[in-house]
Amino acid sequence: MKYLAERSLFYYFLMDEVADAGPEAWTKVAGDFGAPPEQIQSYRAALADPTLGELLTEDDIEMYRNFIGGFFRGAP
């Protein structure tokens, strides 16, 4: 699980940097990775999420994941 968290964090920061370069750069790079247009919009929205923007370490990600998992445990 640690490997997945590390890779996710790496790609999050990478794509956040690309998004800072502008929407054209973001669309180009996401398209080069094979993301369809609707996913590109979804990813862009995730990068703009202020909560996700505050997750800076693997521990932050794990704590947030546990919080979400605990919060929605009883949901149908």
Side-chain angles (χ1 to χ4, degrees), residues 2 8 13 20 38 52-53 58:
K2 184 174 179 164
S8 296
F13 286 135
D20 287 346
E38 59 275 0
L52 294 179
E58 293 171 40

Side-chain angles (χ1 to χ4, degrees), residues 17-18 23 39 65 72:
E17 289 295 319
V18 172
Q39 273 188 331
R65 188 180 70 82
F72 290 106

Side-chain angles (χ1 to χ4, degrees), residues 1 4 20 28 31 34 58 62 71-72:
M1 184 57 140
L4 291 177
D20 287 346
K28 167 84 169 96
E58 293 171 40
E62 185 67 21
F71 187 71
F72 290 106

